[in-house]
Amino acid sequence: MKSAVGTVKTTSFSLIFADFKEITKVRLAVSVVFSSIAGYFLGAYSIDIGSVLLLAFGGYCMVGASNAYNQVIERDLDALMKRTKNRPIPAGRMSVNSAMAIAITMTLLGVLALYILSPKTAMFGAISIFLYTCVYTPLKTVTPLSVFAGAIPGAIPFMLGWVAATDDFGIEPGTLFMIQFFWQFPHFWALGWMLQDDYRKGGFKMLPTGKKDGGTALQIILYTIWMIVISIMPAFGFTGRLHLSLGAAGIVLLLGLVMLVFAFRLYEKKDNLSARRLMLASVSYITLMQLVYVIDKFI
């Protein structure tokens, strides 16, 4: 009997934890934490483990809070779409009040953790939550320009790590911000291409032309080119203390060109498979590019 009760408790905890991961979008949050830590390593003169842990915790809370607010606001629309109807709130596994409690708690804890690192870091974290929740989320059903608004908080994490390490904002974190800012467009437009039919059910306007057409694919190509250009700029001495060796720049350029090939394939074929491959290539690019930057600094 005790064993059965214990099993039920374990199962209940597992379900609650699974919903917590879903409401905070754990995979997205972990990728954001990775970007933040990469930025910290690039900016730091010496690595402080306590600061890294605070940044990781604060970064996770920042993203988790934003996603929880987002799912509260969009709960009725999420119920209309196949990919989101099983989220905790529309599926009825979590109340709006519980989701809001999670969002508010994570906001407070995240801003506090980032404030301990530096007030500037906390400020950028708070700005990120505000823009994602109060600008990007409501604009998604109004205009495709929502992607532009969403690209701002989406680009903050890479920059945030540098600011956390230096308590300074200048050309270096600005460059990191611009790299990830331009990366957002091909990444999310590829995702929007794949999910266009589902997004329509929720009334979301994610593609720049509103269609899976040559105009959207061409813009993906152009933003990918800008991303590549900015990603290799640190090799030419324009970005202060943020430096990239010519060998590392060559690797970053090669990674970018691979992504650009997938963008051209989408322009040529205009199908969901090409969009999926581009989306996966973009995820690989941002991760590998950040690793190249960090490794290049320390070798």
Side-chain angles (χ1 to χ4, degrees), residues 55-126:
L55 179 62
F57 177 76
Y60 190 97
C61 287
M62 177 182 73
V63 182
S66 298
N67 288 321
Y69 287 127
N70 174 268
Q71 291 184 46
V72 168
I73 295 168
E74 294 182 348
R75 59 190 183 276
D76 294 333
L77 301 179
D78 281 346
L80 303 175
M81 297 183 291
K82 182 179 179 181
R83 75 181 188 89
T84 56
K85 66 182 181 181
N86 197 43
R87 283 177 173 173
I89 301 176
R93 298 190 307 274
M94 183 181 293
S95 69
V96 171
N97 288 341
S98 295
M100 280 298 294
I102 291 172
I104 293 170
T105 301
M106 296 189 80
T107 299
L108 296 175
L109 291 175
V111 171
L112 176 61
L114 297 179
Y115 185 83
I116 293 172
L117 288 171
S118 79
K120 286 189 181 73
T121 309
M123 177 189 72
F124 283 119

Side-chain angles (χ1 to χ4, degrees), residues 27 186-196 212 220 259 262-263 265-267 269-285:
R27 287 185 293 181
H187 174 73
F188 281 106
W189 282 336
L191 185 64
W193 188 297
M194 292 165 49
L195 301 172
Q196 172 73 343
K212 299 194 286 188
I220 287 173
M259 185 172 159
F262 284 103
R265 286 182 180 174
L266 178 60
Y267 182 82
K269 297 185 177 181
K270 299 180 180 64
D271 61 2
N272 285 351
L273 179 60
S274 298
R276 175 175 172 78
R277 287 173 175 168
L278 173 59
M279 188 272 294
L280 294 174
S282 70
V283 173
S284 298
Y285 173 82

Side-chain angles (χ1 to χ4, degrees), residues 178-232:
M178 292 304 292
I179 292 170
Q180 198 147 340
F181 176 79
F182 280 100
W183 170 83
Q184 302 272 322
F185 294 92
H187 174 73
F188 281 106
W189 282 336
L191 185 64
W193 188 297
M194 292 165 49
L195 301 172
Q196 172 73 343
D197 293 338
D198 214 21
Y199 277 138
R200 280 177 177 167
K201 295 176 184 177
F204 294 127
K205 300 176 181 179
M206 305 302 291
L207 297 181
T209 67
K211 301 175 183 178
K212 299 194 286 188
D213 60 7
T216 289
L218 179 59
Q219 291 196 52
I220 287 173
I221 290 171
L222 294 175
Y223 276 89
T224 301
I225 292 172
W226 273 112
M227 177 200 73
I228 294 170
V229 170
I230 297 169
S231 293
I232 62 174

Side-chain angles (χ1 to χ4, degrees), residues 161-177:
W162 184 289
V163 176
T166 64
D167 192 30
D168 182 54
F169 181 83
I171 186 65
E172 300 92 346
T175 302
L176 298 180
F177 174 89

